[in-house]
Amino acid sequence: MTSAAPRPRMTRQRREILDALDLGEFRSAQAWHERLRSEGSTTGLATVYRALQSLAETGEVDAVVAESGETLYRRCEAGEEHHHHLRCRVCGKAVEIDVPDFEAYAAAIGREHGYGDIRHTIELTGVCPECAAAGDA
Amino acid sequence: MTSAAPRPRMTRQRREILDALDLGEFRSAQAWHERLRSEGSTTGLATVYRALQSLAETGEVDAVVAESGETLYRRCEAGEEHHHHLRCRVCGKAVEIDVPDFEAYAAAIGREHGYGDIRHTIELTGVCPECAAAGDA
DNA sequence: CTGCAATTGATAATCATTGTCGATAAGACG
DNA sequence: CGTCTTATCGACAATGATTATCAATTGCAG
Ligand SMILES: [Zn+2]
Ligand SMILES: [Zn+2]
Ligand SMILES: [Zn+2]
Ligand SMILES: [Zn+2]
């Protein structure tokens, strides 16, 4: 039923974005754009937004909504399953964590209340050792 | 250390907002404002934003950031402790849920990775029975 | 009752994100 | 390889939520 997903064209811009993603932590679309520009890329901001959104939909990158409302993106381990992060509020450095049984637990709670199509969000944030030492608290 | 919190003045506007909050589900600041207006209130939008923010800081109302980036507010049970919700994506109806030991679990994971000042977010969303029946899926 | 700082509200300003649209270039096909 | 079709670009305008301004009010301490 879902129209055959037409795989995106491999343009120079998309390639650059994928590359940049490889070495980074959670950053906003604008931050990724700035980084690209600082590396000499001429890719436009709107293009970065579009690419990140598309990548997030296919699960190739993780997206989290910060308290400020900005959406932050990060490249995940290749072909990785659903998972969660412990992220530094200061520098964005993230660690993937394991939340055993939570998936099943969530579904059970939903059933218990008659809710269907359950989805969940678990975000852990803190201050990493480096940032704590630097006192950027 | 934290400057003595000067309790907010009890103005007509603040009272109205508190009252409206009593009977509601998760709604955006703008939605709460519209509701007030429809009830005859003349309270301004900026005031609603300010009141909700202030209430969220003191924990008198819960605030969650939707995927869209909007912040949604809801009045919680009086004097309630930290807790989490199972919320309907369609109508906003929410149930408070219990996530045993997660607080301790989160702190442990943080310690394990050297992260400090751990905070967490757990949001469960689904479609409530009524909305499922109505097929607004 | 007075005086003044906290609060309000209409409005302008921000800021992230999305839409527009002519120009460009993947990539299918021959 | 050339062509052709059309997804994708990018500069810029538009949107929508939230915040800042600032003069006018008004809790409320004294
Ligand atoms: Zn850090
Ligand atoms: Zn999960
Ligand atoms: Zn609550
Ligand atoms: Zn519902």
Side-chain angles (χ1 to χ4, degrees):
Chain A
M1 265 353 141
T2 41
S3 51
R7 40 203 83 67
R9 289 184 183 173
M10 187 50 63
T11 69
R12 170 180 57 75
Q13 295 83 338
R14 196 178 182 84
R15 207 160 16 237
E16 286 183 353
I17 294 171
L18 259 338
D19 286 348
L21 252 345
D22 269 337
L23 43 91
E25 291 303 334
F26 277 106
R27 291 195 203 328
S28 68
Q30 309 215 55
W32 282 118
H33 177 246
E34 278 177 29
R35 163 150 311 212
L36 283 175
R37 286 305 178 101
S38 76
E39 301 293 344
S41 168
T42 65
T43 300
L45 178 57
T47 299
V48 175
Y49 269 102
R50 288 184 288 235
L52 288 174
Q53 284 170 172
S54 129
L55 289 169
E57 279 165 14
T58 67
E60 294 186 73
V61 301
D62 263 358
V64 305
V65 184
E67 292 184 29
S68 67
E70 299 177 287
T71 302
L72 308 178
Y73 300 89
R74 181 209 189 202
R75 172 128 211 202
C76 290
E77 300 295 312
E80 191 144 13
E81 293 298 307
H82 170 80
H83 60 268
H84 302 282
H85 302 104
L86 165 56
R87 175 168 47 85
C88 175
R89 277 195 296 279
V90 180
C91 69
K93 188 174 306 172
V95 182
E96 300 193 346
I97 63 176
D98 189 39
V99 187
D101 309 321
F102 194 84
E103 324 303 321
Y105 185 65
I109 289 183
R111 220 173 298 121
E112 190 176 310
H113 292 279
Y115 280 53
D117 192 11
I118 303 295
R119 290 180 211 164
H120 68 267
T121 305
I122 297 180
E123 267 297 300
L124 287 185
T125 64
V127 181
C128 74
E130 290 73 30
C131 291
D136 298 325
Chain B
M1 251 14 133
T2 41
S3 51
R7 41 201 85 60
R9 289 184 183 173
M10 186 49 62
T11 68
R12 170 178 59 76
Q13 295 82 337
R14 197 178 181 83
R15 206 159 18 235
E16 287 183 354
I17 294 170
L18 259 336
D19 286 347
L21 253 344
D22 270 336
L23 42 93
E25 291 303 334
F26 277 106
R27 290 194 193 3
S28 68
Q30 310 215 56
W32 282 117
H33 177 245
E34 279 178 28
R35 163 149 311 213
L36 283 174
R37 285 305 179 101
S38 76
E39 301 294 343
S41 168
T42 65
T43 300
L45 178 58
T47 300
V48 176
Y49 269 102
R50 287 184 290 236
L52 288 174
Q53 283 171 173
S54 127
L55 289 169
E57 278 166 15
T58 66
E60 295 185 73
V61 301
D62 263 356
V64 305
V65 184
E67 290 184 29
S68 67
E70 300 178 285
T71 302
L72 308 178
Y73 300 90
R74 180 208 187 203
R75 172 128 211 201
C76 289
E77 301 295 313
E80 192 145 9
E81 292 298 307
H82 171 79
H83 58 270
H84 302 282
H85 303 104
L86 165 56
R87 176 168 47 84
C88 174
R89 277 194 296 278
V90 181
C91 69
K93 188 175 307 173
V95 181
E96 300 195 344
I97 62 175
D98 189 39
V99 187
D101 309 322
F102 195 84
E103 325 302 320
Y105 185 64
I109 290 183
R111 217 173 300 121
E112 190 176 311
H113 292 280
Y115 279 54
D117 192 10
I118 303 296
R119 290 179 211 164
H120 66 266
T121 305
I122 298 181
E123 268 295 303
L124 288 186
T125 64
V127 181
C128 73
E130 290 74 30
C131 291
D136 298 325

